[in-house]
Amino acid sequence: MTEYNDWAVRIRVNKYQLKGSFSVLIFLGDIPEDSKAWMSSPSYVGAHRVFGSVLYGEAESDEPNAIAEGFVQLNQAIAERSGLASFDAKEVVPYLKSNLGWRVQKSNRSVVDIGDVPSLQIIVIATPMKMNDGQGYPEPCGDPKHHHEVTDGKPGGHMIENEMKAEPTSSLGKTQA
């Protein structure tokens, strides 16, 4: 039996925030300054494309069903680019803290400042997986773990103060794990 972590970036964003379609692009490594080179860059991993509409105004943008969510898998890019010996969190988290980046681009290829997308939330998740001998596919063998420390404090990244408001608290007022 083989066990490993399946690493992914979870992207959540209000799909009406930019009044049209856009993409959130994920990178591992240096991001080219020229946006025309982003998707052909060796550091490009993948994107979550959001299909918004110019017909919706500000009022609809606060509705919970306006949140689009997508995932970009990281394992292949980590294996090919990092030089790490495993997908263990002790190795991967520091690598991602140093190398993970993202950009937002409208469907017309114009660049969006991440500060103009306050609903954007990028979180790294590791899901424990196992593959039994002779089994042709892996399966989860534990609960996904959010590694907030990878993106915390970065524009569009996880913000501890926002998460603390949303998580249940114990009777002592501390956030439950």
Side-chain angles (χ1 to χ4, degrees):
M1 176 172 67
T2 303
E3 292 188 15
Y4 64 95
N5 284 315
D6 183 41
W7 292 90
V9 170
R10 183 187 74 196
I11 301 159
R12 285 187 175 168
V13 64
N14 184 311
K15 65 183 178 180
Y16 301 125
Q17 191 132 56
L18 296 178
K19 311 241 187 293
S21 297
F22 59 96
S23 297
V24 180
L25 289 77
I26 303 298
F27 299 88
L28 282 178
D30 295 331
I31 302 170
E33 291 196 28
D34 180 1
S35 63
K36 292 178 181 128
W38 285 352
M39 288 194 271
S40 61
S41 166
S43 62
Y44 174 73
V45 177
H48 172 54
R49 289 171 175 64
V50 179
F51 299 99
S53 172
V54 294
L55 300 176
Y56 287 91
E58 291 294 322
E60 290 84 0
S61 67
D62 292 331
E63 293 187 28
N65 63 357
I67 300 299
E69 180 178 78
F71 295 84
V72 173
Q73 299 301 111
L74 298 176
N75 280 38
Q76 183 174 349
I78 292 169
E80 292 172 356
R81 302 170 195 177
S82 71
L84 299 177
S86 77
F87 292 122
D88 186 80
K90 291 176 188 162
E91 292 188 48
V92 175
V93 167
Y95 172 76
L96 293 177
K97 284 174 88 169
S98 296
N99 291 282
L100 182 68
W102 50 90
R103 297 290 185 268
V104 178
Q105 191 173 45
K106 288 186 177 183
S107 59
N108 66 4
R109 304 276 178 163
S110 63
V111 176
V112 177
D113 185 281
I114 291 174
D116 293 339
V117 193
S119 67
L120 180 62
Q121 185 182 58
I122 306 287
I123 294 179
V124 172
I125 300 173
T127 303
M129 303 293 284
K130 69 177 179 179
M131 178 134 41
N132 293 317
D133 295 335
Q135 186 175 352
Y137 55 89
E139 59 185 42
C141 63
D143 293 328
K145 178 169 177 23
H146 293 185
H147 288 275
H148 300 304
E149 68 273 25
V150 173
T151 64
D152 189 52
K154 297 177 182 177
H158 175 262
M159 299 296 179
I160 287 179
E161 62 275 5
N162 293 340
E163 189 71 23
M164 303 239 341
K165 292 176 192 172
E167 288 186 29
T169 56
S170 71
S171 59
L172 300 175
K174 295 182 180 178
T175 301
Q176 295 176 349

